Amino acid sequence: MSPVPSITQAVRQRISDALAAALPEAAGADPLLRRSDRADLQANGMLALAKRLGGNPRELAGQVVGGVATEGLIADIEVSGPGFLNITVTDEAIVRTLAARAADERLGVPFAERPGTMIIEYSQPNVAKEMHVGHLRSTVIGDALVRIMEFRGEKVIRRNHIGDWGTQFGMLIQYLIEHPHELDHREEEESGGAAMSRLNRLYRDSRAVFDSDPEFKERARRRVVELQAGDPETMALWQRIVDESKIYFNAVYSRLGVLLTDDDIMGESAYNNDLVALSEELEESGVAVRSDGALCVFFDDIKGPDNKPVPLIVRKADGGFGYAATDLAAIRNRVGSLHADTMLYIVDARQALHFRMVFDTAGRAGWLPDGVAHHLPFGTVLGKDGKPFKTRSGETVRLMDLLDEAVERAAEVVSSKAPDLSPAEVAERAAEVGIGAVKYADLSTSRSRDYVFDLDRMVSLNGDTSVYLQYAFARIQSILRKAAERGASAAAHPEVSLAPAERALGLQLDGFGETLESVAESYEPHKLAAYLYGLASQFTTFYDQCPVLGAPEPAVVANRLFLCELTARTLREGMALLGIHTPERL
């Protein structure tokens, strides 16, 4: 089915045509069309355009009004203020467009004009360590972007660049070798939590010995060399630690309802065999140079507080490799072998300088074309005190504990709203509501901003929360069930005039495709969350002002049931793209 242009797109085209006819040099100019509380739409572009061309904005606006084609689309258009255009569209245009969207399984949302191969790197936990609240944002933002980009037709390759290499593994493996009783266990077969609890204990115990025993520290460092050289015993123990960690990671991902699997994991270790050749190529090309024994890349505009250059260290003086080397190897693989057109790195804002240096280095080496790689920084999760979210003892909050608490709080809300549900039904709804609440609070916040983790607000039925959206969806399902019991059905193509609240809901519904296009252009899922909250709010107003099953005429009932059905479909699709469930009953 051909894409369904939105009402805004159709009006924009007619205003642009009239503008070009009135002022040929303005051909192609954006009329800056926006939703308005004074009319359905407002065009603000005449002011800036007239100023740039030395004309009078009100006169230009008047010329546009006189020349715009209104048939079948625009009911009224007038000049307002210094040169704004206030535009009211026809009921006919609204119902015609909504009927076309309802007839399309994609709700009229077009595929991307030029879909390509997109690699999205997100989550990035560390092996042998529990995931904490700091992993939440990367995981849920990345998952939402994967879903949205795939819906638009992009070929998306997920990448979970886990920390599975380095000094700490020499420490852990050496400890296991010297404490063989630790190898006799079955906990990892029981659950991800049991496996990670054991690994956490091993990490603490081995770290204590590493910090207090210089001889053990030296043995652990030699073990790292054995690991990098592929020693069979060392590799077997390393693989065991990685496998146990994967059990835990998958338990967290299952609880969160994200798409990541073992197939998406490409950790630092995956690039180990490429690092020597990569370093040699950088040095031979002159991109990297030796400095104090280390292989470094320098930048003219990156200096420290002492005004000395701050380098990207590709290889350390002792011959070891760090994050920079594996990140460069990943870029070379993703562009050269996977043919990525776009790469998104969902990593917190503190890594901005690192990625700037890595991308610049890869570009200078000829591995990364301009405009392919994008670091998408995100802000910090804060406690109610406005500081980074910690436990009362000052420790980082474990992600699984946080999710457990959210589900417990959601169970209280579900039980109070639906006391007739069985314990099993309460548990199922609580998981959907609690996890949805956590994800929505994150995704409804602008990616670059910090936000306060407040479960009281997150699970509230009032305000901008996923519970509010889920409740709106469940309310619609209740209306549709009652309609079916009475033999009432939605109109296939509404033909009656629209009440003000119906018009407002219809115009909001029409904006779904443009919202997704905006999200895809800026990589900002919060725009979709804001749209869905606006849709749920418009539906609430519609529900209060326009009785559905109690409408006086069958045609009006059918018309309003149509709006209910399309609203429910849009809410369900939009929430699914954010990775959030919409329960049928709540």
Side-chain angles (χ1 to χ4, degrees):
M1 183 174 180
S2 300
V4 181
S6 71
I7 291 171
T8 302
Q9 289 170 330
V11 172
R12 181 183 294 117
Q13 186 60 56
R14 294 203 187 180
I15 298 296
S16 295
D17 291 345
L19 184 57
L23 201 65
E25 57 266 45
D30 186 352
L32 301 180
L33 205 60
R34 304 287 185 269
R35 291 291 301 275
S36 172
D37 57 1
R38 296 173 180 267
D40 293 332
L41 299 165
Q42 186 176 82
N44 302 332
M46 303 329 116
L47 280 74
L49 185 59
K51 181 178 180 180
R52 178 165 61 86
L53 298 176
N56 183 298
R58 276 191 66 89
E59 290 180 4
L60 177 58
Q63 288 178 283
V64 171
V65 169
V68 70
T70 61
E71 297 80 8
L73 179 62
I74 298 173
D76 184 57
I77 180 169
E78 62 178 11
V79 180
S80 173
F84 303 123
L85 294 180
N86 287 336
I87 304 153
T88 301
V89 300
T90 64
D91 287 358
E92 174 192 357
I94 294 175
V95 298
R96 182 178 64 245
T97 303
L98 294 186
R101 294 194 179 285
D104 181 8
E105 63 179 11
R106 290 179 54 82
L107 298 171
V109 178
F111 288 101
E113 290 185 10
R114 292 179 294 276
T117 298
M118 176 177 288
I119 294 177
I120 302 182
E121 180 186 311
Y122 61 112
S123 195
Q124 310 120 341
N126 290 311
V127 164
K129 293 183 181 179
E130 286 191 276
M131 293 176 69
H132 53 76
V133 68
H135 293 105
L136 176 64
R137 301 213 69 185
S138 176
T139 304
V140 300
I141 292 171
D143 186 66
L145 287 173
V146 166
R147 294 170 186 269
I148 292 166
M149 296 304 175
E150 285 184 337
F151 185 69
R152 284 177 49 80
E154 303 280 359
K155 177 187 175 183
V156 177
I157 299 173
R158 302 186 292 267
R159 279 290 176 260
N160 192 358
H161 191 82
I162 63 173
D164 64 351
W165 209 245
T167 303
Q168 70 268 31
F169 292 96
M171 177 185 77
L172 274 168
I173 293 167
Q174 189 63 33
Y175 185 84
L176 283 172
I177 290 172
E178 296 182 12
H179 298 78
H181 66 280
E182 294 286 6
L183 298 173
D184 299 325
H185 64 276
R186 292 290 182 270
E187 289 178 299
E188 75 277 14
E189 298 176 3
E190 298 173 6
S191 71
M196 187 51 66
S197 177
R198 174 178 174 276
L199 284 174
N200 266 348
R201 178 178 57 76
L202 285 175
Y203 187 88
R204 289 195 302 269
D205 292 348
S206 61
R207 170 58 72 179
V209 178
F210 185 87
D211 290 341
S212 62
D213 185 344
E215 294 182 358
F216 175 80
K217 179 180 290 188
E218 182 57 32
R219 293 195 298 273
R221 286 174 172 165
R222 289 199 299 269
R223 185 60 57 181
V224 174
V225 176
E226 295 292 322
L227 176 64
Q228 293 175 337
D231 172 67
E233 179 189 21
T234 305
M235 288 297 298
L237 289 172
W238 170 83
Q239 189 65 58
R240 190 166 181 173
I241 294 169
V242 171
D243 289 343
E244 288 187 33
S245 297
K246 287 180 181 179
I247 295 171
Y248 164 75
F249 296 155
N250 289 333
V252 175
Y253 296 146
S254 176
R255 193 74 186 279
L256 271 173
V258 299
L259 299 174
L260 286 169
T261 69
D262 285 353
D263 292 337
D264 304 317
I265 290 177
M266 284 288 285
E268 296 166 0
S269 62
Y271 306 102
N272 183 58
N273 294 335
D274 301 332
L275 302 184
V276 172
L278 176 146
S279 299
E280 291 173 351
E281 186 174 335
L282 288 174
E283 187 170 14
E284 290 171 3
S285 66
V287 173
V289 297
R290 294 284 173 177
S291 177
D292 296 328
L295 184 63
C296 303
V297 180
F298 290 91
F299 310 85
D300 293 337
D301 58 344
I302 300 178
K303 294 181 171 59
D306 56 1
N307 206 37
K308 292 183 178 180
V310 175
L312 181 74
I313 300 176
V314 178
R315 191 168 192 174
K316 303 172 187 175
D318 63 5
F321 297 96
Y323 301 129
T326 52
D327 281 336
L328 287 167
I331 287 174
R332 192 165 65 163
N333 170 262
R334 292 169 183 179
V335 175
S337 299
L338 299 178
H339 309 295
D341 301 298
T342 306
M343 297 189 297
L344 307 182
Y345 291 74
I346 295 91
V347 185
D348 76 62
R350 292 172 297 178
Q351 298 299 316
L353 180 60
H354 169 77
F355 281 109
R356 178 184 165 193
M357 296 164 81
V358 166
F359 295 163
D360 186 277
T361 298
R364 286 155 63 181
W367 304 331
L368 180 63
D370 289 342
V372 169
H374 306 269
H375 172 217
L376 306 184
F378 54 82
T380 304
V381 181
L382 306 176
K384 291 182 181 180
D385 59 0
K387 299 177 181 178
F389 196 26
K390 303 280 187 181
T391 65
R392 290 184 178 178
S393 61
E395 297 177 355
T396 302
V397 178
R398 299 191 307 174
L399 183 51
M400 197 64 100
D401 289 347
L402 182 151
L403 299 179
D404 288 343
E405 184 178 357
V407 172
E408 289 174 9
R409 298 290 287 277
E412 298 172 7
V413 174
V414 172
S415 297
S416 66
K417 293 296 294 183
D420 57 328
L421 292 178
S422 69
E425 289 173 321
V426 169
E428 180 181 355
R429 300 289 197 288
E432 293 175 332
V433 170
I435 300 301
V438 171
K439 295 171 81 169
Y440 185 84
D442 196 307
L443 293 169
S444 61
T445 303
S446 175
R447 176 169 42 78
S448 59
R449 290 179 52 200
D450 300 341
Y451 77 93
V452 174
F453 193 91
D454 182 353
L455 276 176
D456 290 332
R457 184 187 64 80
M458 290 178 184
V459 300
S460 173
L461 281 165
N462 301 311
D464 188 7
T465 68
S466 68
V467 191
Y468 177 74
L469 303 185
Q470 290 170 324
Y471 188 70
F473 177 82
R475 174 185 279 176
I476 297 173
Q477 297 308 304
S478 176
I479 293 171
L480 297 177
R481 286 192 296 269
K482 291 177 181 177
E485 292 169 1
R486 300 181 188 184
S489 60
H493 190 298
E495 296 180 354
V496 300
S497 60
L498 301 177
E502 292 175 307
R503 290 176 55 83
L505 179 59
L507 288 168
Q508 182 73 14
L509 284 164
D510 187 49
F512 185 50
E514 285 187 286
T515 298
L516 289 179
E517 183 177 1
S518 178
V519 172
E521 288 176 352
S522 63
Y523 312 124
E524 294 178 308
H526 79 274
K527 294 179 178 179
L528 175 56
Y531 167 82
L532 294 172
Y533 175 61
L535 179 58
S537 299
Q538 290 287 5
F539 177 79
T540 299
T541 301
F542 159 79
Y543 181 77
D544 291 341
Q545 297 181 7
C546 301
V548 179
L549 300 179
E553 301 175 15
V556 177
V557 173
N559 192 62
R560 292 176 180 174
L561 284 173
F562 169 87
L563 288 171
C564 287
E565 283 189 352
L566 189 54
T567 300
R569 286 179 59 193
T570 306
L571 281 172
R572 181 172 54 209
E573 187 67 72
M575 293 286 271
L577 292 175
L578 294 178
I580 299 174
H581 292 285
T582 42
E584 296 282 321
R585 301 173 187 267
L586 193 62

